Amino acid sequence: MAEERRVRADARRNVESLLAAAREVFATAGVDAPVREIAAKAGVGVGTVYRHFPLRSDLVTAVFTHEVDACADEAPRLAAELPPVDALLAWLLRFTRFIATKRGLAAALHSGDPAFEPLPAYFRARYLPALESLLDAAAGEIRRDVDAHDLLTAVANLSIPAEGDPEHTERMVALLVDGLRFGAPTPS
């Protein structure tokens, strides 16, 4: 039984290492990068990659959903640690880092491969409630007509990097959040 738990813990660590390695490799070399490159970066053999992810689309999907989950799960933590508008800004900036990761996956996600068809719905199902909870918490400090889907789309559009200006996205998102305060309810 102890041996079985150790193997499961090893397998879990292997999967985590593979996902982190694949995310990095996909971001720089695209999703068609050699599997041996991902395996080497993760410190495992190629067979381990295929044991956990028999198809490349399985690995791409796992990386995408892992990143979506990690970002969505930040919303409640940030809400507990920061004032509402600060939590909103911090989460939107975290979302921009997800967008940067997604750029490495974009070709695959828009390839028409049926394996990727459920991903946009997964994205919406995880991100919209996370953002809506942050918007609700900030309701007294930002305008009331903010739609979570529209805000995600706006931030994604602002996440296009400006050449030679690595802080561009952060400044644009901060400006957008400042703009959300315009038209906020006035304190009585």
Side-chain angles (χ1 to χ4, degrees):
M1 181 121 157
E3 180 70 21
E4 185 176 317
R5 282 192 195 137
R6 188 182 63 74
V7 171
R8 287 185 184 165
D10 289 348
R12 189 171 36 255
R13 278 192 300 275
N14 284 345
V15 168
E16 289 299 318
S17 293
L18 284 168
L19 291 175
R23 180 186 67 239
E24 288 180 39
V25 171
F26 290 166
T28 58
V31 296
D32 294 325
V35 171
R36 71 179 155 275
E37 184 179 341
I38 296 166
K41 189 166 209 53
V44 301
V46 172
T48 301
V49 178
Y50 287 115
R51 183 171 37 258
H52 293 290
F53 305 103
L55 302 173
R56 183 173 296 269
S57 61
D58 297 331
L59 182 58
V60 171
T61 298
V63 168
F64 183 85
T65 58
H66 185 266
E67 291 300 301
V68 167
D69 291 342
C71 184
D73 292 344
E74 284 288 305
R77 184 190 66 75
L78 292 168
E81 294 175 2
L82 299 171
V85 175
D86 293 344
L88 175 63
L89 175 59
W91 189 83
L92 289 172
L93 291 173
R94 171 63 176 89
F95 174 69
T96 65
R97 289 190 300 277
F98 163 78
I99 295 297
T101 300
K102 184 179 179 254
R103 277 195 175 76
L105 305 174
L109 297 177
H110 300 291
S111 68
D113 185 331
F116 304 124
E117 286 177 10
L119 293 179
Y122 186 81
F123 173 89
R124 286 187 301 275
R126 292 289 287 145
Y127 281 162
L128 290 177
L131 181 53
E132 286 166 354
S133 70
L134 293 167
L135 290 170
D136 288 346
E141 300 174 54
I142 62 170
R143 52 191 299 154
R144 294 178 184 168
D145 63 344
V146 179
D147 176 76
H149 183 269
D150 289 345
L151 187 53
L152 283 177
T153 302
V155 171
N157 289 335
L158 291 175
S159 296
I160 298 168
E163 192 168 323
D165 189 358
E167 284 113 27
H168 177 261
T169 295
E170 187 173 324
R171 285 194 321 275
M172 293 301 100
V173 172
L175 182 63
L176 176 64
V177 171
D178 276 349
L180 294 177
R181 294 175 198 237
F182 180 79
T186 54
S188 320

